[in-house]
Amino acid sequence: MAMIILQVVGYQNSGKTTLIEKCVKELTKQGYKVGTLKHHGHGGKPALPKEKDSTRHWEAGAVVSAVEGDGTLLLTATAKNGWNLSELIELYRHFAIDLLLIEGFKHSPYPKIVCLRDESDVHLLQLPNVVASISRMPLKQGNSFFIQEENKYMQWIMNYVKGEKHVCDCERTD
């Protein structure tokens, strides 16, 4: 089975991380091997654990530093011109996952769910490859879900991942 890629995008505090957590829990419960990738869109480098050996190696100038223990690998890597999403996706392919959930990278060409805080965020629905939206205000377009309709949007996401992209008994009829 090819790795499925699904992005979750929106502005800060729109519910992206919470949605990804819910998806990971439900998909894992259903037997999927799920990977996640978050774009650190706030500028600067992501924080690393202080005074750990692998961090000290990286800070000393290592291009790649990792620590493995009991089957868990923590990896830090630097690319001279930054990482583009396609390079990161290639890295994830080595982990034999069924699904990669990407938080952020708004303008990338993969299918995406848009999380909307309010009316000022509606323009995000014009991003490429939007397959659904979840908002704090009711919308009546496409696969739009009100944030309080958790059962409906989670069912839609599960159906989407299973390949039932256009068949869902939870789609709006109003």
Side-chain angles (χ1 to χ4, degrees):
M1 175 170 125
M3 181 175 71
I4 299 165
I5 298 172
L6 183 60
Q7 291 180 258
V8 176
V9 303
Y11 293 121
Q12 189 172 9
N13 297 319
S14 62
K16 300 180 304 291
T17 302
T18 300
L19 177 60
I20 287 179
E21 285 178 317
K22 289 175 184 178
C23 288
V24 169
K25 286 179 184 175
E26 184 60 31
L27 289 160
T28 301
K29 190 166 67 174
Q30 292 189 28
Y32 288 90
K33 292 185 286 183
V34 181
T36 65
L37 172 62
K38 181 181 178 0
H39 183 238
H40 184 62
H42 308 296
K45 295 178 182 177
L48 297 172
K50 293 289 181 204
E51 299 186 22
K52 296 294 180 185
D53 292 348
S54 59
T55 301
R56 290 174 57 196
H57 298 169
W58 184 75
E59 288 174 343
V63 175
V64 176
S65 178
V67 60
E68 188 280 336
D70 200 21
T72 298
L73 176 71
L74 298 177
L75 175 72
T76 304
T78 303
K80 192 172 197 169
N81 296 318
W83 295 91
N84 68 49
L85 185 54
S86 61
E87 291 170 328
L88 295 168
I89 289 170
E90 281 308 307
L91 178 65
Y92 274 73
R93 290 190 195 284
H94 293 280
F95 295 103
I97 58 177
D98 301 313
L99 173 70
L100 174 58
L101 293 172
I102 301 171
E103 181 176 336
F105 295 94
K106 286 181 191 74
H107 299 284
S108 293
Y110 301 99
K112 58 184 61 75
I113 298 171
V114 178
C115 295
L116 305 168
R117 299 171 300 186
D118 55 41
E119 300 272 338
S120 67
D121 294 350
V122 172
H123 70 279
L124 292 174
L125 295 174
Q126 303 307 312
L127 290 169
N129 297 315
V130 173
V131 295
S133 66
I134 300 171
S135 67
R136 295 181 183 164
M137 68 263 172
L139 296 173
K140 292 184 180 182
Q141 55 196 67
N143 295 312
S144 297
F145 300 93
F146 186 47
I147 197 162
Q148 294 176 338
E149 299 176 313
E150 184 175 332
N151 289 338
K152 287 184 179 180
Y153 66 74
M154 288 302 294
Q155 183 61 55
W156 187 91
I157 293 168
M158 295 308 118
N159 288 348
Y160 184 90
V161 169
K162 291 175 186 173
E164 302 166 12
K165 296 175 180 70
H166 302 292
V167 180
C168 180
D169 61 2
C170 58
E171 289 183 10
R172 295 184 175 283
T173 55
D174 48 296

